[in-house]
Each structure stands twice: as structure tokens, then as C-alpha cells.
Amino acid sequence: MRVYNFAPGPAVLPEEVLGQAREELLDWDHSGMSVMEISHRSKPFVRIAAEAEADLRELLGIPANYKVLFLQGGATGQFAFIPMNLAPIGSTVDYVDTGHWSKKAILEAAGYCKVHVAADAGGNYVTAPPQEDLRLTQGAAYVHYTPNETIGGVEFGYVPQTRGVPLVADMSSSILSRPIDVTKFGLIYAGAQKNIGPSGLVVVIVREDLIGRARAGTPSVFDYKVVADNDSMLNTPPTFAWYMAGLVFKWLKRRGGLAAIGEQNRLKAEKLYAAIDASAIYRNPVRKDSRSWMNVPFTLGNPALDQRFLDEAAAAGLKNLKGHRISGGMRASIYNAMPLAGVEALIAFMQEFQRKHA
Ligand SMILES: *Cc1c(COP(=O)(O)O)cnc(C)c1O
């Protein structure tokens, strides 16, 4: 029996997509083989790969002067590959620090270039800094930020303006959650395991003019230009994850694209925050204009009740609500594949739990 899975990542996938993958698992398109068993250079797989890219381009409205890369090494790999590819030796880069993942990106980049922290909210990560608080460096190689902090549940309600400096965004937990204007970005990257598909794949969308200047010593599999010139098939890509991502993109298109899914996500988040705000025991610390549509952390007034909450939720088919080990409390991740019914079931459970225990 399927449950409502609120895991932060790897995370819930659309049931329809999993069903289709199961249907096709042993015999893909009458080939007598699984998609996992065929060469990445075979005609059928090259078609799967190209279709996935075309569908992603259509969903996000990616202009022709951007490359779309399907890589390995996760979002964490990109923390290093971005400075290796985009920041010449000795250059300065700006990073906006809004929490856990920004910090990790900063630490990694510091090994390659001078990192200037453009804003850090004083270490109190309950809001995305407004544009006027960003102290940007003139001539920086790029500006990096994390549009959605997966652990803190802090999301930017705007896209920073950088006066011509390329903007780099870690969209691991927010890509495809609503429409965006890709032309505002120099590079977008996202680990697949939150809103795209299974883990093992990371998608990079990069403006063409930014690649081709990787620093000496960059491994060829992580040199955007080399990978782009080889259609992300310099070596064997994660074929099954790529195939699954393609199925998810088609599912999104059937759902009406990003405008429709964005509307659904807004509704899900609004309902959950409204229930939290209206309750006497649940609390979300994030300022209203910076609340994430994808990851909703909340605490119970009494931490002694945490374990009971998790046990009873799990028994009711609401799984993986435990907060991150560093922040404690609860966190409901409500990615694209979480249906409204799942959020409504969570709200009903929370109200019932409050009635019984508060
Ligand atoms: C999950 C996550 C990461 C780490 O992704 P990996 O693929 O495990 O390296 C990085 N940034 C953000 C915003 C995330 O949500």
C-alpha cells in the first residue's frame, strides 16, 4: 500500500510515473529488454535522452543559447564544478548565505577562489535577504544563491539582480515547482532526487557563453564544455535516472506544465501554513514572505511530543516527517509529486493530534 511520503530527498515520485516504469521495466517499447540494459549510444536511448531534454526545455522555456547537461556527482559535485568552470584562478565570487546548503556551497568554493559572502541574514536563517541587503562585488565571476533552502524552509520570493554578473542558482529543491525566467540566470543546477526523478543525476542548465574556460586540471567529465560537446555522453550517463526524469517531465506536461503545477503548489503550501499559523501548538519560524512552497519545517510546542507525533503519523500513513537532524522538529516536504490530498491528510492528522495531546 502506498503512503504519503514527506521525505526531503530522495522523495516521492508521481505514482503514475512509477506505474509506467513498472509496466516497461522488463520489456521497454517491445525491445525485449529493460531500458537499464541498453547502450546509452543505442538509437532508442539517444531518443529517450533527447526527448527528456526537449521536454525540460519546453517546461522551463529554456532558450537555445543555453546548454542542458545531465551529469553525475549530485548538487554537491556542482559546488566544486561551478568554480572550476566559471571562476578563473584568483577571481572573487559572491555567495548569498541563507542556510545549510548555501554554507556547504561556500565552503567548497573557498577551495577554488575568493568567496565574498554577499549577505548572511546574521546567521538567523528565517528570511531571504531583500535585494537592497545584497552587497555585491563589482567584477565578481558570478553570484551564487540557493533559491530554496531545503532544511530551513526559506525561499526567495524574487530573483536577485546582479548588474550583468552571471547568476548561479542551486535549484535542487525548487526546480520545476513554478514557472521561472531562465534568461535571468547564468547557470541553474539541481540534484534530481527532489523534483525531477531518482538520485544519481544532476541537471545543469548553463548559458553557452559561460563555458569553455574551465581551469586547468578540471576533469573532463566535469568540464561543462567537454560534456556539452558530447551531449552529456562523454562516458556512460545514469541512463535509468535519465529515463525516469523524462517520464516525470512528460507527467508535468500532462498536468498542464509549470503554471498549473505552480498553482497547485501554492495552494498546498498556503493550506499547510494556514493550519500551522491557526494552531496553538504548531509553529513555523520563517517570515511569511520567505516561506518555502516545497519544504515546511514546524515544531510542536512541546518537544517531548515529537516522537509520539512521528509514530502516530506513520501509523496513519504519513511518513518521513522528522525534521533534519540539525534543526529538529518536523518537516513536511511537499514536492510536485505530493498530491493535495496528502497535504489535506497531514493537516487533518495535525488537528486531531493537537486535540488529543494539547
Ligand atoms: C539536497 C540538496 C543538495 C545536495 O544534493 P546532493 O545531490 O545530495 O549532492 C544541495 N542543495 C540543495 C538546495 C539541496 O536541497
Side-chain angles (χ1 to χ4, degrees), residues 20 51 76 85 95 107 119 152 164 175-176 179 195 200 213 222 230 239 258 260 293:
Q20 185 181 349
E51 239 176 77
T76 304
N85 278 275
Y95 275 68
L107 281 174
I175 193 164
L176 298 170
N195 242 350
R213 279 169 283 134
F222 302 135
N230 287 276
T239 50
L258 300 193
W293 284 10

Side-chain angles (χ1 to χ4, degrees), residues 8 73-77 79 101 146 148-150 170-173 189 191-194 201 335:
T76 304
F79 293 167
W101 290 114
T146 312
N148 182 62
E149 282 283 357
T150 319
D170 175 0
M171 286 199 194
S172 293
S173 52
Y189 65 104
Q193 67 272 22
K194 280 122 189 185
L201 173 72
Y335 298 115

Side-chain angles (χ1 to χ4, degrees), residues 2-310:
R2 297 277 293 169
V3 298
Y4 289 122
N5 174 11
F6 295 92
V12 57
L13 285 164
E15 201 167 322
E16 226 178 287
V17 165
L18 292 172
Q20 185 181 349
R22 178 177 58 190
E23 281 294 302
E24 301 178 346
L25 194 65
L26 299 191
D27 179 7
W28 181 80
D29 198 26
H30 310 293
S31 65
M33 292 173 282
S34 172
V35 76
M36 275 186 272
E37 301 174 300
I38 61 174
S39 167
H40 56 296
R41 306 209 186 275
S42 65
K43 262 209 187 97
F45 190 81
V46 169
R47 202 181 78 220
I48 289 173
E51 239 176 77
E53 177 179 335
D55 287 335
L56 181 62
R57 282 183 178 277
E58 186 183 327
L59 283 164
L60 281 168
I62 302 173
N65 64 324
Y66 284 74
K67 297 287 189 189
V68 177
L69 312 176
F70 292 81
L71 305 176
Q72 301 180 61
T76 304
Q78 296 306 314
F79 293 167
F81 309 149
I82 287 164
M84 289 169 109
N85 278 275
L86 264 49
I89 291 171
S91 62
T92 296
V93 291
D94 282 343
Y95 275 68
V96 183
D97 179 5
T98 46
H100 180 87
W101 290 114
S102 307
K103 267 206 173 47
K104 292 236 174 193
I106 288 169
L107 281 174
E108 194 75 11
Y112 300 92
C113 40
K114 282 189 255 128
V115 174
H116 169 250
V117 176
D120 64 5
N124 181 22
Y125 301 117
V126 294
T127 171
Q131 174 77 45
E132 58 270 25
D133 285 2
L134 304 181
R135 300 175 304 271
L136 301 178
T137 309
Q138 202 140 43
Y142 60 82
V143 178
H144 178 283
Y145 84 119
T146 312
N148 182 62
E149 282 283 357
T150 319
I151 294 174
V154 172
E155 183 161 13
F156 278 74
Y158 72 100
V159 177
Q161 286 181 358
T162 57
R163 284 177 266 132
V165 175
L167 181 62
V168 174
D170 175 0
M171 286 199 194
S172 293
S173 52
S174 53
I175 193 164
L176 298 170
S177 64
R178 62 174 98 181
I180 55 167
D181 178 358
V182 172
T183 64
K184 291 183 172 168
F185 300 87
L187 187 150
I188 292 167
Y189 65 104
Q193 67 272 22
K194 280 122 189 185
N195 242 350
I196 293 178
S199 59
L201 173 72
V202 54
V203 172
V204 175
I205 301 161
V206 59
R207 219 174 59 213
E208 259 167 10
D209 61 286
L210 298 176
I211 66 176
R213 279 169 283 134
R215 60 178 63 192
T218 301
S220 50
V221 285
F222 302 135
D223 181 326
Y224 297 145
K225 177 79 168 91
V226 177
V227 173
D229 287 348
N230 287 276
D231 297 323
S232 303
M233 293 200 197
L234 179 68
N235 68 328
T236 317
T239 50
F240 190 69
W242 195 333
Y243 152 82
M244 287 292 290
L247 297 188
V248 170
F249 299 153
K250 290 211 184 297
W251 173 80
L252 279 169
K253 283 174 60 177
R254 286 197 301 276
R255 294 282 311 263
L258 300 193
I261 203 83
E263 216 17 65
Q264 170 90 353
N265 286 332
R266 190 182 56 73
L267 184 66
K268 278 154 46 187
E270 267 176 18
K271 284 198 167 208
L272 185 50
Y273 286 115
I276 290 170
D277 290 344
S279 105
I281 67 167
Y282 304 111
R283 190 175 169 273
N284 169 276
V286 181
R287 218 175 65 185
K288 285 194 176 146
D289 65 358
S290 304
R291 283 176 163 179
S292 169
W293 284 10
M294 295 285 105
N295 310 96
V296 182
F298 60 93
T299 52
L300 275 61
N302 174 7
L305 284 176
D306 282 5
Q307 196 51 51
R308 180 177 289 189
F309 181 94
L310 291 167

